[in-house]
Amino acid sequence: MITIHQKKVKMMIIGYARVSSKTQNLDRQIKELEQFGCDKIFQEKQSGKNFSSRSVYKELRRKLRFGDVLVVHDLSRFGRNKQEIKDEWEALIKEDIDIVVLNMPLLDTRKYRELEGVGQLVSDIVLSLLSWMVDEERERIRTAQREGIEIAKKQGKYTGRKRKYHANAEGKDRLIYETIVSELNKTTSVMDIHRMTGVARSTIYQMKKELGENRNE
């Protein structure tokens, strides 16, 4: 007779800290997660634009197990818009993983495990509100950026984005620049150069215009 002994798996409290650029600091988020008592903290400096590009979060998701607790500072760690946040929240709940959002104490699913239906109701209400706030905040930032650019243009201070392909570029960017110039000199069409290099047509048109101006000079 074979006796199977079930080993009780220890519940893990796992923290996730993320900022959207390498120049930003994770210290505040990490400190909050440590104070909460996380057993392990995953750190990521990556835009939230696309989950598929967030390798650290994907690793975290693979390690989460039934009964574990995922702790984040705020809802925006789950995505950049309302639908992304909602989808990720629902996927975690479906896998019986508890969620704690530190800057919104109501969003602690552990509190509602014994109250049938209450946890879902609270989550739905607060998620809808905060997801909307995330969308509004991002739109506010985009609007402010557009207005800032317009003001800078009127004051003659706006120089646009830093150019990637130019005569003083290095490495691969220099090679692409020289290829575009060479093809333009051969009168290759902008569309064909775009297909060949993958560079935006607007960029190639700008280079073509500048080459024409230089020849005229």
Side-chain angles (χ1 to χ4, degrees):
M1 181 177 178
I2 300 174
T3 304
I4 299 175
H5 297 281
Q6 289 185 334
K7 183 178 179 181
K8 188 175 181 180
V9 179
K10 179 182 179 294
M11 177 269 291
M12 294 283 289
I13 301 177
I14 298 178
Y16 176 61
R18 179 183 64 80
V19 288
S20 57
S21 81
K22 296 186 185 300
T23 58
Q24 291 178 290
N25 198 304
L26 284 165
D27 291 350
R28 182 170 64 88
Q29 289 184 52
I30 292 170
K31 183 178 179 180
E32 290 180 351
L33 294 169
E34 288 175 342
Q35 289 174 342
F36 187 84
C38 291
D39 300 304
K40 183 175 179 61
I41 298 172
F42 288 80
Q43 305 175 35
E44 186 156 51
K45 291 190 174 185
Q46 174 69 49
S47 169
K49 185 176 181 180
N50 192 330
F51 267 109
S52 63
S53 65
R54 290 163 58 180
S55 58
V56 174
Y57 186 80
K58 288 166 72 175
E59 179 189 356
L60 177 156
R61 288 291 272 117
R62 287 194 295 269
K63 293 184 180 298
L64 283 171
R65 297 292 181 266
F66 171 89
D68 285 348
V69 181
L70 174 59
V71 187
V72 295
H73 173 265
D74 61 80
L75 275 178
S76 66
R77 302 310 94 189
F78 288 136
R80 291 177 62 88
N81 58 59
K82 180 169 59 179
Q83 193 59 50
E84 277 188 359
I85 293 169
K86 185 174 183 291
D87 290 347
E88 188 62 16
W89 182 281
E90 290 176 350
L92 289 162
I93 295 300
K94 189 175 182 179
E95 295 173 27
D96 281 308
I97 295 164
D98 275 313
I99 309 166
V100 176
V101 181
L102 294 177
N103 74 339
M104 180 55 65
L106 276 174
L107 288 181
D108 181 346
T109 60
R110 300 172 304 169
K111 296 178 180 179
Y112 311 111
R113 278 198 169 272
E114 306 303 320
L115 302 173
E116 187 176 350
V118 174
Q120 187 62 51
L121 176 62
V122 171
S123 295
D124 287 348
I125 293 172
V126 179
L127 270 174
S128 294
L129 173 62
L130 293 190
S131 297
W132 173 79
M133 289 172 64
V134 168
D135 283 346
E136 287 295 301
E137 176 64 12
R138 296 196 187 283
E139 183 56 35
R140 184 191 65 77
I141 291 171
R142 284 194 291 266
T143 300
Q145 288 173 336
R146 287 195 297 267
E147 291 174 349
I149 289 172
E150 287 304 315
I151 292 171
K153 282 181 177 178
K154 290 177 181 177
Q155 295 176 344
K157 298 177 181 179
Y158 182 68
T159 57
R161 293 183 180 181
K162 186 177 179 180
R163 293 187 60 175
K164 189 174 182 181
Y165 307 112
H166 53 86
N168 296 319
E170 298 179 354
K172 182 181 177 182
D173 293 345
R174 175 65 179 269
L175 180 61
I176 291 174
Y177 171 80
E178 291 177 347
T179 299
I180 293 171
V181 171
S182 174
E183 293 301 324
L184 285 172
N185 287 332
K186 294 176 186 176
T187 67
T188 305
S189 73
V190 170
M191 179 57 77
D192 285 342
I193 298 173
H194 163 68
R195 289 171 179 154
M196 184 187 309
T197 63
V199 175
R201 283 175 292 174
S202 59
T203 300
I204 300 170
Y205 275 118
Q206 181 61 34
M207 292 171 66
K208 183 177 182 179
K209 179 182 176 183
E210 290 171 356
L211 283 173
E213 290 173 350
N214 290 337
R215 290 193 188 101
N216 292 334
E217 290 175 2

